[in-house]
Amino acid sequence: MARDIECTTPPQTPSRGQNAGKAKKCRGSRCLVLMAVCSGLICVLLLVFIVLQHFSITAERDLLKNYKDAVQVFNQTISRLQDTYSDLMTENDQLKYRFNYLNDELKNAYEQGFHWGSGWFFKSNDSKTWFQSRQYCRDRGADLVIINTEVKQSFLTSIISSSERLWIGLTDINQEGKMKWVDNSPLKQGFWSQGQPDDYIKNEDCVELVSSTPSLNNWNDISCSDTRKALCEK
Ligand SMILES: [Ca+2]
Ligand SMILES: [Ca+2]
């Protein structure tokens, strides 16, 4: 303070040498103050830099930990899904085996005749005309099958071999375009193949079931004198 006063107070009657000494002293004091201020500023800046670095490193560490946790959860989920997939594949194989076994059993039963609902179904061994096939069924106390529900249509198609074409008990031989079942009831719901019945060359009055086409669209009218095996229902 005293030195500041000395530096700022103008000399009263100084000699030339005294003035030069005092000016030198003042410049030295100012340099020291300036250096101290600069040092202080550098320290503050360093402190701020260290604090910011600390926060930055802490944030990165937290982020890395969160990332590791997420990767661990992800890996655990993948592992669980792989286990579940493996179990499902095993179960799927078992169900396929079971399905094939039951399907074979069902088809064997079909070859010999089988019960479904309240009916007994069987087919003839030889291909004959519609009337001969109907007689085959009647000789055994049955008649050509009547299919009047979607469930029955789907079931019978599923059990018939995929390459078979069988007579069913439907005809319009008495009046063209008026399909009737063998019990004389009119057709209410048909499961025709696309474009059928077409009464091709006006000579198709009896109906076959073609099992190779979609289960709800596999009927076709053909000539009654064509030969097919009979699908009988008792
Ligand atoms: Ca016809
Ligand atoms: Ca036809």
Side-chain angles (χ1 to χ4, degrees):
M1 191 69 180
R3 188 171 288 172
D4 288 345
I5 293 169
E6 192 177 352
C7 290
T8 55
T9 306
Q12 292 173 355
T13 52
S15 67
R16 199 169 191 165
Q18 283 173 328
N19 282 344
K22 283 185 178 177
K24 196 174 177 181
K25 271 186 181 178
C26 281
R27 281 198 301 273
S29 297
R30 283 173 180 158
C31 281
L32 282 173
V33 169
L34 192 61
M35 284 174 67
V37 169
C38 287
S39 298
L41 278 173
I42 289 169
C43 287
V44 169
L45 288 173
L46 276 175
L47 187 62
V48 168
F49 176 75
I50 289 168
V51 169
L52 289 176
Q53 279 295 98
H54 172 74
F55 283 126
S56 174
I57 289 169
T58 303
E60 283 179 8
R61 192 181 296 149
D62 291 345
L63 192 64
L64 188 62
K65 184 174 180 307
N66 290 339
Y67 173 74
K68 281 182 177 174
D69 290 345
V71 167
Q72 191 176 8
V73 169
F74 178 74
N75 286 336
Q76 287 171 348
T77 304
I78 291 287
S79 179
R80 274 200 308 275
L81 286 175
Q82 282 175 336
D83 290 345
T84 304
Y85 174 76
S86 180
D87 291 345
L88 286 174
M89 289 306 290
T90 304
E91 194 174 341
N92 184 46
D93 289 343
Q94 290 171 345
L95 285 173
K96 273 184 185 170
Y97 175 80
R98 183 74 180 153
F99 174 79
N100 289 335
Y101 172 78
L102 289 173
N103 206 32
D104 289 345
E105 289 286 303
L106 202 57
K107 287 189 184 302
N108 288 337
Y110 163 68
E111 293 297 326
Q112 299 161 13
F114 59 94
H115 276 293
W116 185 76
S118 59
W120 168 255
F121 300 84
F122 57 96
K123 66 173 184 173
S124 60
N125 295 320
D126 301 317
S127 294
K128 295 184 177 178
T129 67
W130 188 84
F131 290 101
Q132 289 170 333
S133 295
R134 187 179 182 197
Q135 192 59 47
Y136 174 91
C137 298
R138 297 180 81 163
D139 289 345
R140 288 157 181 78
D143 208 335
L144 286 171
V145 68
I146 293 173
I147 305 172
N148 44 17
T149 65
E150 192 172 303
V151 174
K152 190 173 182 179
Q153 165 72 14
S154 297
F155 174 73
L156 289 175
T157 301
S158 71
I159 201 170
I160 296 169
S161 168
S162 59
S163 60
E164 282 189 305
R165 305 173 73 138
L166 302 172
W167 288 124
I168 62 174
L170 187 64
T171 178
D172 68 345
I173 197 162
N174 290 329
Q175 187 180 352
E176 177 56 38
K178 296 284 183 185
M179 289 286 174
K180 285 194 172 181
W181 293 106
V182 286
D183 66 355
N184 214 34
S185 62
L187 173 67
K188 291 180 180 171
Q189 182 182 15
F191 302 101
W192 299 102
S193 296
Q194 190 172 8
Q196 304 299 333
D198 58 355
D199 197 41
Y200 183 62
I201 59 172
K202 301 186 184 303
N203 186 37
E204 295 192 327
D205 298 330
C206 294
V207 179
E208 63 170 348
L209 185 153
V210 184
S211 62
S212 58
T213 48
S215 64
L216 296 180
N217 302 96
N218 58 17
W219 293 0
N220 175 37
D221 57 339
I222 58 174
S223 168
C224 298
S225 59
D226 283 347
T227 57
R228 299 285 186 268
K229 290 182 180 178
L231 180 56
C232 309
E233 177 181 5
K234 186 175 184 179

